Amino acid sequence: MKFFKVITYGCQMNLHESEKLAGILSSKGYFPTEDNEQADIIVFNTCCIRENAEQHALGNLGALKYLKKKKPSLIIAMGGCMTQQPGVMEKIKESYPFVDIIFGTHNLDFFGDYLDERLAKKKRVFKVFETDGKIYEGTKVLRTSYPNAWVNIMQGCNNFCTYCIVPYVRGRERSRQPEFIFSEVQKLVLMGYKEITLLGQNVNSYGKDLEGDINFAKLITMLKEVRGNFRLRFMTNHPKDLTEDLVKAVADNPHCAHLIHLPVQAGSDRILKLMNRRYTSQDYINKVELIRKYMPDCAITTDIMVGFPTETEEDFCDTLNLVKKVGFSSAFTFVYSRRKGTVADKMDDQVPEDVKKDRIMRLVDLCNEQTREYSSNYLGKTITVLCEDFDKKKQMYMGRDEYGRMGYFECENNAIGEFCKIKVTSANGISLFGELVDDENQQ
Ligand code: SAH
Ligand code: SF4
Ligand code: F3S
């Protein structure tokens, strides 16, 4: 038997692409393993959104040198956003001579061919292309996250936020045809998947590049017709493209979870402008109000960054104030990281590391406080969670409610893949603990 291991470093889209790499490898007769020593092929699916993501991958790659010496037949491949950056392929080629295959984000679907080439010719294979090309349909996917499944609806990004590397390594926005998306979602639901997450860097600009009468709101309305009991999620939304039609379509589709991930990034209008986000903090608040008008119960989550070039204490306080005003159910917080090739990298007045550190700590404190408050509202309530795993440490099943909150509970039977009702008895930060109320498994 031959084994493979795919290591993922990035976002959900990156994770989903690892499922495609796994699908390609399994169709070539390889079986998955978690053990480096057992693997005949190890694929690094990299990310370059922040410097630490790159360092992490390179550290793990370096550590494989000894393994390759011990087992020269081991194939080591590297792909993803990091290798798609200009000059990175050449650097890895030289500094890591034990890497057999390097590929980029635009040609991941052809990884099987590159593996064949490597095995046939015993020569290293380097394939990173600049052109982003079209979307390929039909690549096999080996899903790893039952009962949840990801469905990619588009590639690339056109926004060019000045801090962000994604548009450079993912190319321009390209949407999948709606019929392909509909049939993939319907098939997954028939196969027993209970939560489907539509993925794109900017899902709410879906369809702008397609001919015909289609946009993201219309896609959501189309997906209302999918038969079965499942939850529909989508991410990520850009505030500038969040329309009233979309909010209405979500509110009107009973499959849709009432959770919207709406990255705000900063609360200062000056910084938002420098980031090229194309909204003000007031525009953002208006979007939040729009969501709450149609879905008063809707949870709103966000991404926030501190330490963007020129950020002053006053700008940072605008961010804190916006967080207080909106009341996020949870927030992902980041320290700005310089990315080569982006506009912000060339800006003067980069914020010193100790100032960034101080700000992120204050921001995290505030967000944690909000999260705790949000969780405490759950006490005594009965919620429906989709059980997704068993936590071995806690010896409890775990699952999220439609608002994204994780609930832990005990159950005698295997509950994975079932909608379970639990009564919340305690809360700890972002986690809820409860008791199973009944096992009718109905949402
Ligand atoms: N397309 C999505 C996701 C982008 S990456 C979106 O627009 O939200 C996820 C998050 O990483 C971003 O929302 C941003 O907060 C953060 N991020 C992006 N570039 C970064 C950088 N250079 N330094 C620090 N955080 C960054
Ligand atoms: Fe990056 Fe902005 Fe595109 Fe998101 S919308 S991927 S933050 S450029
Ligand atoms: Fe990273 Fe690429 Fe995703 S840079 S965050 S893996 S799109």
Side-chain angles (χ1 to χ4, degrees), residues 150-427:
W150 293 298
V151 173
N152 203 272
I153 64 165
M154 61 199 296
Q155 295 283 357
C157 180
N158 289 353
N159 290 321
F160 289 94
C161 303
T162 54
Y163 50 79
C164 185
I165 193 78
V166 172
Y168 302 93
V169 293
R170 290 276 175 178
R172 298 293 66 74
E173 277 175 16
R174 286 148 286 149
S175 305
R176 278 178 82 191
Q177 292 294 338
E179 310 82 66
F180 285 125
I181 298 169
F182 185 93
S183 80
E184 187 173 345
V185 174
Q186 180 65 80
K187 257 188 228 154
L188 287 165
V189 174
L190 288 173
M191 282 162 73
Y193 286 90
K194 303 281 171 58
E195 183 173 296
I196 310 289
T197 304
L198 309 178
L199 292 180
Q201 294 300 340
N202 182 9
V203 282
N204 47 4
S205 78
Y206 169 82
K208 284 186 183 160
D209 57 319
L210 294 178
E211 278 173 24
D213 186 22
I214 185 80
N215 60 28
F216 191 53
K218 287 183 176 141
L219 181 72
I220 291 292
T221 302
M222 257 176 88
L223 293 173
K224 204 173 151 182
E225 305 308 320
V226 173
R227 281 167 295 124
N229 185 19
F230 72 104
R231 270 185 200 151
L232 186 62
R233 299 190 192 277
F234 49 86
M235 64 185 294
T236 295
N237 297 280
H238 194 299
K240 77 174 163 57
D241 296 314
L242 192 99
T243 60
E244 185 158 13
D245 278 352
L246 174 58
V247 179
K248 275 187 186 161
V250 173
D252 184 50
N253 183 339
H255 296 309
C256 284
H258 285 192
L259 165 69
I260 294 198
H261 183 60
L262 196 64
V264 65
Q265 311 299 358
S268 147
D269 291 344
R270 191 183 68 82
I271 295 289
L272 286 169
K273 191 149 194 236
L274 281 177
M275 287 177 163
N276 191 29
R277 291 291 289 181
R278 286 173 268 186
Y279 54 82
T280 63
S281 59
Q282 188 55 51
D283 294 336
Y284 186 88
I285 286 167
N286 294 346
K287 299 284 173 163
V288 168
E289 280 169 2
L290 184 65
I291 296 169
R292 290 188 172 147
K293 176 174 156 200
Y294 289 96
M295 293 178 284
D297 63 325
C298 192
I300 297 174
T301 58
T302 200
D303 293 350
I304 313 170
M305 193 188 299
V306 299
F308 185 84
T310 78
E311 185 187 69
T312 61
E313 176 64 21
E314 200 187 334
D315 293 320
F316 174 64
C317 287
D318 287 346
T319 297
L320 293 179
N321 287 335
L322 186 115
V323 171
K324 283 181 202 153
K325 221 180 214 168
V326 174
F328 294 107
S329 73
S330 72
F332 298 93
T333 52
F334 305 101
V335 174
Y336 167 73
S337 166
R338 288 177 88 154
R339 303 284 72 204
K340 257 211 189 82
T342 61
V343 173
D345 185 42
K346 295 178 201 90
M347 288 179 185
D348 296 332
D349 289 330
Q350 298 282 332
V351 176
E353 288 307 315
D354 55 332
V355 176
K356 287 189 197 169
K357 221 182 228 165
D358 171 66
R359 288 184 189 156
I360 190 81
M361 273 162 34
R362 287 155 66 199
L363 178 64
V364 167
D365 278 348
L366 174 63
C367 293
N368 285 346
E369 196 185 301
Q370 282 198 342
T371 304
R372 272 195 302 274
E373 201 180 306
Y374 194 87
S375 292
S376 69
N377 293 332
Y378 273 96
L379 292 175
K381 285 194 182 139
T382 297
I383 58 172
T384 302
V385 296
L386 171 58
C387 181
E388 57 187 47
D389 212 346
F390 182 74
D391 186 316
K392 288 205 186 90
K393 229 163 143 193
K394 293 192 173 75
Q395 287 290 303
M396 291 174 119
Y397 283 99
M398 59 201 273
R400 287 176 198 279
D401 74 350
E402 75 164 294
Y403 310 108
R405 270 288 185 281
M406 188 67 87
Y408 294 85
F409 61 100
E410 286 174 355
C411 178
E412 280 174 17
N413 310 320
N414 180 1
I416 295 174
E418 307 290 348
F419 287 107
C420 301
K421 280 204 175 110
I422 61 170
K423 186 165 183 205
V424 180
T425 50
S426 67

